[in-house]
Amino acid sequence: MVFRDKFSSEGRVPEKKIAYYFCEITYNLRIMKIINRYILKEFFPALLLGLFVFTFVLLLDRLFALISLFLTKKVGFFLILRLFYHLLPSLFSLTLPMATLFALLFTFGRLSEENEITALQVSGIRIRSITSLPLFLSLLFT
């Protein structure tokens, strides 16, 4: 695409303008990298907390059955731990989407409560670029 403006008569962009656009793009990329890192620092602890809590709640149902096996049938402790280990993948398939939703709501709720999303929008950053990385990770996790 050929740019025509009042500075160039032959239809090409002056070198100063190219340098300006390049500096602006690298500056925007640097700012977005910092913002994404900040949002992920809020997202991952909430994700781990949600994963732990939801897994524990769903494990409570099976916990009492395993305790009764341990006490009545005299099943070994390491066998009970092995059963826990084999139960976790099926529980993670249920708890990971719930924990991801919890982390998204918690992260953006806190950012909204402290008016950080508004401050980012006022500084010229679109909401789509703020939410793109956490939403991509949530799609990846579920």
Side-chain angles (χ1 to χ4, degrees), residues 118-137:
T118 307
L120 289 171
Q121 286 178 333
V122 166
S123 67
I125 299 172
R126 294 184 178 170
I127 192 73
R128 183 178 54 213
S129 60
I130 296 169
T131 59
S132 62
L133 184 63
L135 288 178
F136 173 74
L137 287 176

Side-chain angles (χ1 to χ4, degrees), residues 5-116:
D5 59 1
K6 61 182 179 182
F7 299 114
S8 74
S9 60
E10 64 260 2
R12 61 183 189 90
V13 178
E15 286 78 19
K16 288 183 182 179
K17 235 180 191 181
I18 292 173
Y20 172 75
Y21 290 137
F22 180 73
C23 290
E24 185 178 341
I25 289 171
T26 56
Y27 176 75
N28 288 340
L29 289 176
R30 205 171 336 141
I31 294 296
M32 284 311 299
K33 184 177 176 183
I34 293 170
I35 292 170
N36 283 336
R37 194 175 341 141
Y38 177 69
I39 291 173
L40 289 180
K41 280 183 183 179
E42 296 289 328
F43 179 75
F44 279 117
L47 179 73
L48 292 176
L49 175 72
L51 191 64
F52 176 74
V53 168
F54 290 129
T55 302
F56 182 72
V57 167
L58 289 179
L59 196 61
L60 279 177
D61 181 37
R62 305 223 172 100
L63 182 67
F64 293 116
L66 292 175
I67 288 174
S68 69
L69 278 175
F70 180 71
L71 295 176
T72 59
K73 307 281 188 193
K74 305 294 183 200
V75 176
F77 181 71
F78 292 109
L79 185 60
I80 298 292
L81 288 179
R82 227 171 122 191
L83 286 172
F84 274 132
Y85 176 73
H86 289 294
L87 283 174
L88 285 179
S90 65
L91 290 178
F92 280 157
S93 68
L94 295 173
T95 59
L96 194 57
M98 290 189 290
T100 305
L101 179 64
F102 170 75
L104 281 173
L105 291 175
F106 185 79
T107 300
F108 288 112
R110 197 198 66 74
L111 290 175
S112 177
E113 180 183 345
E114 296 179 4
N115 293 325
E116 293 180 7

